[in-house]
Amino acid sequence: MEKLRRVLSGQDDEEQGLTSQVLDASPLSFNTRLKWFAICFVCGIFFSILGTGLLWLPGGIKLFAVFYTLGNLAALASTCFLMGPMKQLKKMFETTRLLATIIMLLCLVFTLCAALWWHKKGLALLFCILQFLSMTWYSLSYIPYA
């Protein structure tokens, strides 16, 4: 009912507070969403660190590329629990961050392609570096006026 009242009164989601946006995001309770956000985020960090550790093994560039990409995907998925998947996708493809999103997603895919199908270690490492830079750019695009 509150959502209908907001729509009829002309209030945008941007005018809502962060807490009410999070609470309206999905049918999951706030504690459940917060727990799954933390689980995904910690898994993302763990995969990234594990991939970095595997880099130093012989032939570990493939494992590094896969685990580093999985870590970034898990960290990206963690915000879906806070916002909800549809709202996350809408925000990802807004005009202000469209280029950052496309480059970030291409770097994720090209990292896996270079490591698993093309078998180019140097290219996989280059795409991992570009993946890091594009994820940083994408994350900074959520900061107003950044």
Side-chain angles (χ1 to χ4, degrees), residues 6-85:
R6 275 195 321 266
V7 169
L8 293 176
S9 68
Q11 291 178 334
D12 286 342
D13 282 344
E14 299 299 324
E15 294 175 10
Q16 278 184 296
L18 178 63
T19 307
S20 59
Q21 283 183 26
V22 169
L23 291 175
D24 289 343
S26 75
L28 298 174
S29 72
F30 179 72
N31 286 337
T32 303
R33 281 180 289 186
L34 203 56
K35 286 176 189 173
W36 279 104
F37 164 77
I39 289 169
C40 281
F41 194 74
V42 168
C43 284
I45 291 171
F46 174 73
F47 285 150
S48 295
I49 292 171
L50 178 65
T52 304
L54 293 172
L55 178 62
W56 308 113
L57 295 177
I61 189 73
K62 286 183 184 181
L63 292 174
F64 167 69
V66 169
F67 279 107
Y68 188 76
T69 303
L70 282 176
N72 282 334
L73 286 173
L76 188 62
S78 68
T79 57
C80 286
F81 286 102
L82 291 181
M83 284 193 250

Side-chain angles (χ1 to χ4, degrees), residues 67-108:
F67 279 107
Y68 188 76
T69 303
L70 282 176
N72 282 334
L73 286 173
L76 188 62
S78 68
T79 57
C80 286
F81 286 102
L82 291 181
M83 284 193 250
M86 291 310 294
K87 194 168 188 175
Q88 170 82 12
L89 286 174
K90 285 178 186 176
K91 286 193 174 283
M92 283 176 72
F93 291 101
E94 286 178 349
T95 56
T96 56
R97 66 183 60 91
L98 181 63
L99 185 61
T101 300
I102 290 171
I103 290 173
M104 180 219 20
L105 293 175
L106 285 174
C107 285
L108 291 171

